[in-house]
């Protein structure tokens, strides 16, 4: 049995845009490419084709079994920052297919990793059952998974020795993603560590440098914002064409 972490770019999304491109092309041909409506649909076809190509390249880059394997590099990289004492607990917010939870479990065999996710229709291939199956396939027994809402966590203050997350919060419609970060950090014990990786651009998160300073004034220690587009997980060109500009790890200790 082999773990199946799926792809962060769903195959159905790629095939869906390809189907739209084909439909647009057929309509353009029926209308006639020399007519005004036909030209309009031809332009739409080209734009849709470019979108399909972008999604296909993203799909290949994020594939766990492909050449680039960016997903695997990111998961291994983020999990290396998660330190949990034996007997401790870690919360992985937005666990998806369980990849980060399982990586943290492997690196911290004496700790318990709890992964939560809403497993919505946007990522229908991800599920609690998939996370549990992947844990079995990877031979780890210190993980558990449950339904949860990142905006309102069903855990008391200071419940965990570590909290982590990867590429989750930018997907949540919100005008204040820093508030979502604080909701996650609320569950962290005094002395606990955190490592949260996301697209922390100003347009999505506001001024993160100021947020780092805010955490320090709140008593958090060794708070850092680590750029992951400088060769750590990807280069600047990759982050640009993939739409991942601003990717960074927010890490530190409470």
């Amino acid at each position: 049995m082999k773990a199946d972490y799926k792809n962060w770019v769903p195959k159905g999304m790629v095939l869906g845009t390809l189907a739209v491109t084909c439909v647009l092309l057929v309509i353009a041909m029926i209308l006639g490419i020399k007519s005004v409506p036909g030209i309009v649909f031809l332009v739409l076809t080209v734009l849709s084709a470019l979108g399909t190509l972008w999604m296909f390249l993203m799909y290949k880059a994020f594939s766990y079994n492909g050449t680039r394997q960016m997903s695997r590099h990111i998961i291994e990289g983020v999990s290396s920052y998660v330190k949990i004492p034996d007997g401790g607990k870690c919360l992985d917010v937005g666990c998806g297919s369980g990849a980060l939870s399982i990586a943290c479990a492997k690196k911290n065999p004496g700790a318990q990793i709890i992964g939560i996710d809403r497993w919505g229709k946007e990522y229908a291939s991800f599920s609690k059952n998939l996370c549990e199956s992947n844990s079995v396939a990877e031979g780890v027994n210190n993980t558990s998974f449950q339904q949860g809402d990142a905006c309102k966590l069903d855990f008391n203050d200071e419940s965990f020795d570590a909290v982590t997350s990867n590429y989750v919060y930018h997907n949540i419609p919100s005008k204040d993603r820093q508030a979502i970060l604080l909701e996650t950090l609320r569950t962290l014990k005094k002395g606990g560590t955190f490592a949260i990786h996301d697209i922390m651009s100003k347009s999505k998160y506001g001024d993160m440098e100021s947020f780092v300073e805010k955490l320090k004034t709140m008593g958090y220690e060794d708070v850092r914002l680590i750029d992951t587009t400088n060769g750590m997980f990807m280069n600047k060109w990759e982050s640009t064409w993939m739409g991942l500009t601003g990717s960074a790890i927010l890490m530190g200790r409470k």
Side-chain angles (χ1 to χ4, degrees):
M1 183 178 179
K2 187 177 180 181
D4 180 9
Y5 293 118
K6 303 297 181 183
N7 196 299
W8 296 349
V9 179
K11 184 183 292 184
M13 190 179 295
V14 180
L15 295 177
T17 56
L18 177 60
V20 169
T21 301
C22 293
V23 170
L24 290 172
L25 179 59
V26 170
I27 294 174
M29 296 299 290
I30 292 174
L31 293 173
I33 58 174
K34 292 185 178 181
S35 67
V36 173
I39 292 173
V40 170
F41 273 92
L42 188 60
V43 171
L44 291 175
T45 300
V46 172
L47 293 176
S48 182
L50 290 173
T52 301
L53 177 61
W54 176 77
M55 286 189 180
F56 175 71
L57 293 174
M58 288 277 284
Y59 182 85
K60 287 194 66 176
F62 282 121
S63 172
Y64 272 81
N65 302 314
T67 303
R68 181 64 178 83
Q69 296 189 3
M70 185 178 288
S71 297
R72 189 184 301 276
H73 295 317
I74 291 173
I75 291 298
E76 290 301 315
V78 175
S79 64
S80 69
Y81 287 94
V82 181
K83 310 297 181 185
I84 316 162
D86 286 349
K89 294 192 300 181
C90 171
L91 177 65
D92 177 24
V93 180
C95 58
S97 60
L100 181 55
S101 300
I102 292 168
C104 291
K106 285 183 174 181
K107 289 180 170 61
N108 300 273
Q112 181 68 25
I113 316 299
I114 300 173
I116 68 162
D117 203 299
R118 62 185 291 270
W119 292 300
K121 61 182 180 180
E122 302 90 343
Y123 289 88
S125 60
F126 294 169
S127 67
K128 178 181 178 181
N129 288 340
L130 178 62
C131 292
E132 293 172 344
S133 295
N134 285 337
S135 290
V136 172
E138 294 284 11
V140 300
N141 57 12
N142 56 327
T143 58
S144 63
F145 303 94
Q146 63 189 64
Q147 198 96 19
D149 182 355
C151 297
K152 190 176 182 182
L153 297 170
D154 191 24
F155 300 103
N156 294 328
D157 294 355
E158 301 191 5
S159 297
F160 297 96
D161 299 277
V163 293
T164 191
S165 183
N166 179 59
Y167 278 154
V168 173
Y169 304 140
H170 76 274
N171 288 315
I172 301 174
S174 175
K175 293 181 179 180
D176 189 358
R177 291 189 176 88
Q178 292 183 12
I180 304 177
L181 290 174
L182 291 174
E183 170 63 8
T184 297
L185 295 175
R186 172 187 66 77
T187 67
L188 187 62
K189 293 179 181 178
K190 181 66 177 176
T193 57
F194 58 92
I196 298 170
H197 184 230
D198 202 7
I199 307 173
M200 296 185 180
S201 61
K202 193 165 186 177
S203 62
K204 290 179 170 60
Y205 272 86
D207 188 345
M208 283 302 293
E209 294 295 341
S210 294
F211 185 72
V212 167
E213 295 306 313
K214 177 180 179 179
L215 291 181
K216 290 179 180 178
T217 62
M218 292 171 65
Y220 288 78
E221 302 175 11
D222 193 27
V223 185
R224 286 179 283 161
L225 197 61
I226 302 173
D227 182 5
T228 60
T229 68
N230 59 359
M232 177 181 285
F233 299 152
M234 66 199 84
N235 58 44
K236 293 293 185 182
W237 166 239
E238 286 178 317
S239 70
T240 299
W241 76 259
M242 288 185 176
L244 302 177
T245 301
S247 291
I249 299 175
L250 176 69
M251 62 161 295
R253 183 173 63 255
K254 193 169 187 178

